[in-house]
Amino acid sequence: MSVISTQPELYPMEGGCPCGNIRYRMERAPLIVHCCHCTWCRRETGSAFALNAMLETRYITILSPILPTTCSIPSASGAGQTIHRCPSCHIAVCSEYGPNQPIRMIRVGTLDRSEDVRPGVHIYVSTKMHWVNLAKAECKVFDGFYDRNDVWGSEALERRRLMIAKMEEGA
């Protein structure tokens, strides 16, 4: 099943915060787009779920002269999450699990063409809002997390492999 969010012809794609102080560009398609229904994401976003495009940090270009501020919050895993926010309107534009990680989670709602980005997987649906109906979901649905080898495409898995190899070289 083809998911529009990872189609390379849609990228690069720009986004930013509502006040316009933070602008960024995703230079290539995300590895995958998560629609997370966990209670932590619901609480953090104030919504029924969080829609995050996973992308290697090196493929995110900050276009504005103003840089996002960061704050750390607890996470269900205990590892913590670093959120990058506009210093003026405080909108979260992306996050990472732990500081200086090689992958960031771009908040899809901050993309200029967010309507073009659909989830590649629904996760933690065991805690979704009871009125969210995923009977016609166009992607895989999991009660919790998943095995990326069963969900990610071959290109995304290869990009991940290369990223890990590069990290190990620098270690």
Side-chain angles (χ1 to χ4, degrees):
M1 177 180 320
S2 175
V3 178
I4 197 169
S5 61
T6 56
Q7 291 178 342
E9 64 272 13
L10 294 175
Y11 299 89
M13 187 182 292
E14 292 186 10
C17 67
C19 77
N21 282 333
I22 300 295
R23 294 291 302 160
Y24 67 88
R25 181 174 50 241
M26 293 175 59
E27 301 294 349
R28 69 183 306 181
L31 297 162
I32 193 164
V33 177
H34 284 166
C35 185
C36 185
H37 299 265
C38 80
T39 55
W40 283 79
C41 283
R42 291 194 347 240
R43 184 176 300 117
E44 180 190 320
T45 62
S47 185
F49 49 80
L51 196 57
N52 291 307
M54 290 180 66
L55 183 64
E56 299 98 317
T57 303
R58 70 179 183 208
Y59 296 125
I60 302 168
T61 302
I62 301 297
L63 303 172
S64 55
I66 297 172
L67 297 177
T69 58
T70 60
C71 64
S72 297
I73 63 169
S75 66
S77 70
Q81 183 179 14
T82 301
I83 300 177
H84 302 262
R85 297 181 177 277
C86 170
S88 298
C89 66
H90 304 287
I91 295 298
V93 292
C94 66
S95 67
E96 58 197 44
Y97 287 91
N100 303 313
Q101 292 298 311
I103 292 179
R104 293 227 172 121
M105 309 290 265
I106 300 288
R107 299 295 198 273
V108 170
T110 66
L111 289 165
D112 294 345
R113 296 187 346 258
S114 61
E115 67 277 3
D116 288 340
V117 182
R118 296 181 188 163
V121 64
H122 288 269
I123 56 176
Y124 296 103
V125 300
S126 63
T127 56
K128 71 175 180 57
M129 302 296 279
H130 67 85
W131 45 264
V132 172
N133 184 351
L134 297 175
K136 294 182 180 181
E138 297 177 347
C139 57
K140 293 184 178 183
V141 176
F142 293 91
D143 282 342
F145 205 68
Y146 59 88
D147 181 342
R148 76 179 53 84
N149 294 316
D150 295 334
V151 177
W152 288 23
S154 58
E155 181 195 352
L157 289 170
E158 178 61 11
R159 284 167 54 188
R160 181 180 183 274
R161 186 192 69 74
L162 292 171
M163 179 181 54
I164 290 170
K166 188 171 185 170
M167 287 172 49
E168 289 172 352
E169 286 175 8

